[in-house]
């Protein structure tokens, strides 16, 4: 029957694999949608937009995608380690698992901090306006204006002829006058991006917390395995002492005289 630590490992690693799949899917969606937007920008501004995308908007989702893939791999590795707990090579597997869990924890926290930090900045820009003295503000200002030029028509409506621009449908529904001018488009666009990045940041931080629990569970299994091995050695030593050759100082058996 599996121990409590093994059952915990099975449960947590199953959850990790599910979250890993979700993170990879969401990150891939964010990266694909962003690339679609960039590819549909006018050639005159596309270079600036790609630079913004490469240095800012892609960083968090890319780390999250790598983290999700790592979670999927780590979940499979953890279930394998828990299942083969009694085997000799399980100790090496658990040590490797613990190291990977620590790396995953660091990546998850970094991705969550980047995504939530950028989401907060964009939320601030959507309310208070862009700070053009800030490098991030300048880059996001250029990216917003480029997206406005690509996705808003002269009739002040969304250009639904471009697949990438249809991604902004929800933004237009929330702010119908977003395409009236760059001044109305920018806060709506930043609010849209902030809402898109925030859930990914929260998932990344939750992943970090789960990775920490996994690390503790794997350390508990390592400790329990060492304890079981020590107890087995003691039992083997006592058994050998009781049934083996007499040790020094022990009286030997002599048959009775006839």
């Amino acid at each position: 029957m599996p121990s409590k630590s093994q059952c915990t490992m099975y449960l947590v690693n199953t959850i990790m694999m599910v979250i890993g799949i979700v993170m990879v899917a969401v990150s891939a969606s964010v990266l694909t949608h962003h690339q679609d937007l960039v590819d549909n920008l006018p050639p005159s501004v596309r270079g600036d937009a790609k630079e913004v995308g490469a240095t800012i908007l892609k960083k968090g989702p890319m780390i999250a995608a790598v983290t999700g893939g790592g979670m999927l791999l780590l979940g499979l590795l953890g279930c394998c380690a828990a299942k083969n707990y009694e085997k000799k090579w399980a100790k090496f597997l658990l040590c490797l698992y613990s190291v990977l869990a620590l790396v995953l924890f660091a990546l998850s926290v970094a991705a969550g901090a980047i995504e939530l930090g950028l989401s907060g900045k964009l939320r601030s820009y959507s309310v208070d306006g862009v700070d053009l003295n800030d490098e991030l503000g300048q880059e996001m200002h250029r990216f917003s204006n480029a997206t406005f030029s690509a996705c808003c028509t002269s009739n002040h409506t969304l250009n639904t002829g471009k697949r990438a621009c249809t991604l902004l449908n929800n933004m237009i529904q929330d702010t119908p006058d977003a395409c009236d001018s760059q001044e109305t488009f920018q806060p709506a666009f930043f609010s849209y991006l902030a809402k898109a990045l925030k859930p990914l940041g929260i998932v990344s931080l939750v992943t970090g917390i789960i990775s920490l629990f996994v690390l503790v569970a794997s350390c508990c299994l390592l400790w329990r395995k060492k304890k079981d091995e020590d107890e087995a050695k003691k039992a083997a030593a006592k058994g050998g002492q009781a049934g083996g050759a007499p040790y020094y100082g022990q009286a030997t058996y002599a048959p009775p005289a006839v």
Side-chain angles (χ1 to χ4, degrees):
M1 183 177 178
S3 65
K4 289 183 179 179
S5 296
Q6 285 176 292
C7 291
T8 301
M9 287 282 283
Y10 282 129
L11 176 63
V12 172
N13 281 288
T14 301
I15 295 173
M16 280 184 67
M17 286 190 286
V18 172
I19 294 180
I21 293 171
V22 171
M23 283 187 70
V24 170
V26 172
S27 300
S29 176
V30 171
L31 291 171
T32 302
H33 289 179
H34 169 261
Q35 191 60 45
D36 285 342
L37 282 173
V38 170
D39 289 343
N40 280 278
L41 296 180
S44 59
V45 295
R46 193 173 293 168
D48 286 342
K50 284 188 175 180
E51 181 183 351
V52 172
T55 56
I56 300 174
L57 293 178
K58 284 187 177 180
K59 191 181 296 182
M62 286 184 73
I63 295 177
V66 172
T67 303
M71 286 184 69
L72 187 58
L73 178 63
L74 195 62
L76 292 171
L77 188 65
C79 289
C80 182
K83 179 177 176 61
N84 298 282
Y85 167 75
E86 301 294 339
K87 296 183 179 179
K88 293 182 179 179
W89 48 268
K91 186 175 182 179
F92 167 76
L93 203 59
L94 283 170
C95 289
L96 177 62
Y97 181 83
S98 299
V99 172
L100 291 177
L102 184 61
V103 172
L104 185 61
F105 170 72
L107 282 174
S108 300
V109 172
I114 290 171
E115 289 149 5
L116 290 179
L118 181 55
S119 177
K121 272 278 189 183
L122 292 171
R123 176 73 65 185
S124 173
Y125 291 161
S126 70
V127 175
D128 302 325
V130 177
D131 181 7
L132 294 179
N133 294 321
D134 180 29
E135 183 178 355
L136 174 63
Q138 294 173 6
E139 291 176 343
M140 294 308 300
H141 179 72
R142 292 200 304 271
F143 184 57
S144 172
N145 290 344
T147 306
F148 173 82
S149 300
C151 292
C152 289
T153 67
S154 57
N155 295 326
H156 308 302
T157 58
L158 188 67
N159 187 354
T160 55
K162 294 181 178 179
R163 176 180 174 273
C165 295
T166 59
L167 300 172
L168 302 178
N169 275 330
N170 290 337
M171 182 193 79
I172 297 298
Q173 289 176 5
D174 293 338
T175 314
D177 61 344
C179 278
D180 287 357
S181 66
Q182 290 183 350
E183 287 72 22
T184 57
F185 181 84
Q186 194 170 89
F189 184 58
F190 289 158
S191 178
Y192 165 77
L193 292 177
K195 288 178 181 178
L197 287 172
K198 188 175 181 180
L200 195 57
I202 293 173
V203 170
S204 296
L205 289 182
V206 170
T207 301
I209 295 172
I210 293 175
S211 301
L212 189 60
F213 278 113
V214 165
L215 181 61
V216 172
S218 62
C219 289
C220 288
L221 272 180
L222 278 171
W223 173 81
R224 185 172 180 271
K225 186 169 181 61
K226 185 177 183 303
K227 185 179 178 182
D228 289 346
E229 289 173 351
D230 291 341
E231 289 177 353
K233 287 179 182 178
K234 289 179 182 178
K238 287 181 180 179
Q241 193 179 75
Y247 56 87
Y248 179 77
Q250 180 182 6
T252 56
Y253 171 77
V258 179

